[in-house]
Amino acid sequence: MTFDEIKGNDAVKRALNGMVSSGRIPHAIMFHEDDGGGAIAFCQAFLQTVIPSGRVSKMIHPDVRYVFPVAGE
């Protein structure tokens, strides 16, 4: 996934690309979305930019943690 494949949200793309180009990336970033907001796509595109590895696109990179909410009892 790349930023070119994501439609819209140009301000978010500029902000994330700005972090990468400046070399100032926070040690942790939380991506949040309303239903269908595309946070997973942005997360994957950002990680592909920072860590160009096929393991990122398969969601198996050892330095990346994904946390998904689950329905409670």
Side-chain angles (χ1 to χ4, degrees), residues 16-40:
L16 293 173
N17 277 324
M19 286 181 203
V20 174
S21 63
S22 72
R24 297 180 56 93
I25 301 170
H27 74 277
I29 299 175
M30 180 183 292
F31 289 85
H32 175 270
E33 69 177 31
D34 294 327
D35 291 339
I40 294 294

Side-chain angles (χ1 to χ4, degrees), residues 47 51 53-56 58-66:
L47 289 171
I51 310 169
S53 164
R55 297 181 77 187
V56 169
K58 296 175 186 170
M59 297 177 77
I60 58 171
H61 196 280
D63 294 329
V64 179
R65 303 290 182 265
Y66 296 93

